[in-house]
């Protein structure tokens, strides 16, 4: 490079490209990441050294050994002769069984309670307010123990309560009629789910066409065909039999039907009622965030209140409701780990048993953390995607 070259030297070009402030920020980011990596390496090295000194084996080879532990209430087929890996899978299924159903029920109940708090009916709004304040102020663990003790105080199977024909409530849990699901039934259900997905795509396409030319198009014929007619045709072609299995008392217990154990039922009730109290406040605040002019305009058009809530108010309130609702879904999922307090065998309980039997403490705890991290990230991803879809787009 000659002295007549107008270009700055390389060091000056680098400084000019980044700027002093950007270089300073980059330096601190590299420093923080380096410190974090150094701490992780130190902790890992220290752990491996201490485990080796105590002659404690590490690794996940124990997952291939026979578990030998009983699991009383499992969604999947399980035997004590199965390996630890399958026991963990059963535990994950039991955790999801609580989390997924709990999220759905808590959302429905919380939304109804939140709307009730804004009702013009004084008694209904006061009841909703008391429900929210009482359940939010009592620790979840105490509520869980309360429901479990209440389930244990129910009458024995021979004197079970029968609120509806075919439904029994006793200290053995809640027993419901059930439809046996086999491979053929799953095929029909899969056809219905696929039809629902295709109908959603078609409905969005019809709405887009209406926005272009202004001509309304009915979507219900497609829905009827894809969701009702196609699964029915698949069921008839496969010769699927849909029979209801009714529970009946034999000796000291029930056979047939679907049995929800006292532990599972108590856990589900506690999680749903506790989380719904927080969701109710989220829904209430979201509805109140909608400008009053939206209500006045809808009233001026003579619209029914239910139609206003469903088509005008709630769609606008969702952008305020969804972010904090995501946190409540995550809390419900993580709070399901309290199941160990009442003996429901979720992934935490099974990991604790595995830890006691094998001594693989780090591996068992790492599996628990990985399971809850994966479930939580899945919930967050879905809710963030949904929040982005309903967000208002400025034109």
């Amino acid at each position: 490079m000659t002295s007549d070259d107008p270009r700055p030297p390389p060091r000056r070009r680098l400084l000019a490209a980044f700027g002093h402030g950007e270089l300073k920020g980059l330096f601190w980011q590299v420093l923080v990441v380096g410190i974090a990596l150094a701490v992780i390496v130190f902790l890992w090295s220290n752990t491996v050294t201490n485990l080796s000194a105590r002659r404690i084996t590490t690794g996940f080879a124990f997952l291939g050994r026979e578990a030998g532990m009983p699991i009383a209430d499992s969604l999947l087929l399980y035997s004590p002769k199965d390996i630890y890996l399958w026991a963990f899978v059963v535990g994950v299924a039991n955790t999801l069984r609580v989390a997924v159903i709990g999220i759905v029920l808590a959302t429905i109940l919380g939304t109804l309670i939140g709307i009730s708090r804004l009702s013009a009916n004084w008694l209904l709004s006061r009841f909703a307010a008391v429900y929210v304040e009482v359940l939010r102020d009592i620790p979840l663990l105490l509520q869980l123990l309360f429901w479990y003790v209440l389930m244990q105080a129910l009458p024995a199977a021979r004197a079970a309560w029968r609120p509806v024909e075919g439904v029994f409530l006793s200290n053995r849990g809640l027993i419901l009629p059930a439809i046996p699901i086999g491979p053929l039934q799953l095929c029909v259900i899969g056809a219905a789910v696929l039809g629902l997905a295709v109908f959603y795509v078609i409905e969005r396409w019809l709405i887009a066409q209406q926005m272009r030319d202004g001509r309304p198009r009915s979507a219900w014929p497609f829905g009827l065909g894809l969701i009702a007619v196609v699964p029915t045709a698949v069921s008839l072609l496969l010769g699927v039999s849909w029979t209801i299995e009714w529970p009946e008392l034999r000796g000291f217990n029930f056979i047939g039907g679907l049995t929800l154990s006292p532990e599972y039922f108590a856990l589900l009730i506690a999680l749903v009622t506790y989380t719904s109290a927080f969701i109710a406040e989220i829904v209430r605040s979201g509805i109140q965030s909608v400008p009053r002019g939206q209500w006045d305009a809808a009233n001026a058009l003579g619209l029914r209140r239910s139609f206003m809530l469903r088509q005008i108010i709630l769609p606008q309130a969702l952008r305020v409701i969804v972010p904090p609702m995501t946190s409540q879904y995550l809390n419900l999922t993580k709070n399901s780990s309290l199941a160990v307090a009442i003996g429901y065998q979720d992934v935490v309980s099974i990991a604790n048993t595995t830890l006691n039997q094998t001594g693989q403490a780090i591996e068992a705890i790492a599996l628990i953390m990985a399971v809850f991290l994966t479930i939580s990230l899945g919930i967050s991803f879905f809710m963030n995607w949904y929040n982005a879809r309903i967000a208002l787009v400025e034109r």
Side-chain angles (χ1 to χ4, degrees):
M1 182 185 299
T2 63
S3 58
D4 297 333
D5 192 346
R7 293 178 299 174
R11 180 178 177 81
R12 290 186 178 180
R13 287 204 303 268
L14 182 63
L15 291 174
F18 284 98
H20 179 69
E22 294 181 355
L23 280 177
K24 187 177 179 180
L26 182 62
F27 168 76
W28 284 111
Q29 292 178 46
V30 172
L31 181 62
V32 170
V33 172
I35 292 174
L37 290 176
V39 170
I40 293 173
V41 170
F42 169 75
L43 292 175
W44 177 259
S45 176
N46 187 59
T47 301
V48 171
T49 302
N50 290 332
L51 290 175
S52 300
R54 290 165 175 78
R55 297 182 180 180
I56 299 176
T57 59
T58 58
F60 294 92
F62 71 95
L63 292 175
R65 301 205 302 260
E66 182 179 315
M69 72 173 80
I71 300 179
D73 186 9
S74 62
L75 185 63
L76 305 176
L77 294 177
Y78 173 81
S79 168
K81 294 182 179 180
D82 291 328
I83 60 177
Y84 281 111
L85 179 60
W86 183 245
F88 270 101
V89 172
V90 172
V92 173
N94 284 350
T95 297
L96 291 174
R97 181 187 178 195
V98 174
V100 174
I101 297 177
I103 285 173
V104 174
L105 295 180
T107 302
I108 297 173
L109 181 59
T111 302
L112 294 176
I113 295 295
I115 295 174
S116 299
R117 287 209 63 183
L118 301 174
S119 173
N121 187 313
W122 183 88
L123 182 61
L124 181 61
S125 63
R126 290 302 93 195
F127 172 79
V130 171
Y131 176 93
V132 169
E133 295 303 328
V134 170
L135 291 180
R136 287 200 310 172
D137 295 338
I138 299 177
L140 176 58
L141 181 59
L142 292 181
Q143 296 187 39
L144 177 59
L145 295 175
F146 167 78
W147 287 109
Y148 182 64
V149 171
L150 194 64
M151 289 294 298
Q152 297 299 316
L154 290 174
R158 286 182 174 274
W161 294 344
R162 188 182 297 182
V164 183
E165 184 63 30
V167 177
F168 300 90
L169 184 62
S170 69
N171 57 8
R172 299 297 179 92
L174 179 65
I175 296 89
L176 304 169
I179 299 176
I181 302 297
L184 296 179
Q185 286 82 359
L186 287 176
C187 291
V188 178
I189 295 173
V193 172
L194 181 61
L196 185 63
V198 174
F199 171 68
Y200 175 77
V201 174
I202 293 176
E203 185 182 30
R204 301 298 299 180
W205 180 77
L206 292 176
I207 293 175
Q209 292 296 318
Q210 181 179 349
M211 295 297 291
R212 290 192 185 95
D213 55 24
R215 291 172 50 199
R217 295 172 173 84
S218 298
W220 68 265
F222 297 98
L224 181 64
L226 291 170
I227 303 174
V229 176
V230 172
T232 302
V234 172
S235 178
L236 293 175
L237 288 173
L238 297 178
V240 181
S241 61
W242 299 91
T243 58
I244 300 178
E245 189 178 78
W246 296 91
E248 57 178 314
L249 182 64
R250 293 282 183 86
F252 296 97
N253 206 349
F254 293 95
I255 63 169
L258 174 65
T259 300
L260 305 180
S261 66
E263 294 80 11
Y264 172 78
F265 196 45
L267 177 64
L268 187 63
I269 293 177
L271 289 175
V272 168
T273 53
Y274 180 77
T275 308
S276 65
F278 291 90
I279 291 177
E281 286 297 277
I282 294 172
V283 172
R284 179 185 63 83
S285 61
I287 292 175
Q288 289 182 327
S289 70
V290 179
R292 183 65 194 177
Q294 299 289 320
W295 293 88
D296 295 337
N299 284 324
L301 292 173
L303 300 178
R304 297 191 306 273
R305 187 175 178 84
S306 59
F307 183 85
M308 281 191 292
L309 278 173
R310 189 174 64 254
Q311 300 292 340
I312 300 174
I313 304 302
L314 283 179
Q316 298 182 66
L318 280 177
R319 70 181 190 273
V320 178
I321 292 174
V322 169
M325 189 85 82
T326 304
S327 298
Q328 293 306 316
Y329 291 168
L330 296 175
N331 288 338
L332 186 148
T333 302
K334 292 180 288 188
N335 287 336
S336 67
S337 61
L338 292 175
V340 70
I342 58 173
Y344 178 70
Q345 291 176 292
D346 68 335
V347 67
V348 176
S349 176
I350 292 175
N352 286 337
T353 305
T354 302
L355 187 156
N356 294 328
Q357 290 180 350
T358 63
Q360 308 288 145
I362 295 178
E363 291 82 354
I365 294 174
L367 286 172
I368 297 174
M369 295 172 62
V371 167
F372 279 102
L373 180 62
T374 303
I375 296 174
S376 298
L377 288 177
I379 294 173
S380 298
F381 176 80
F382 174 78
M383 294 301 292
N384 290 334
W385 170 82
Y386 180 71
N387 189 43
R389 283 191 59 86
I390 65 172
L392 293 179
V393 180
E394 304 238 351
R395 296 179 181 267

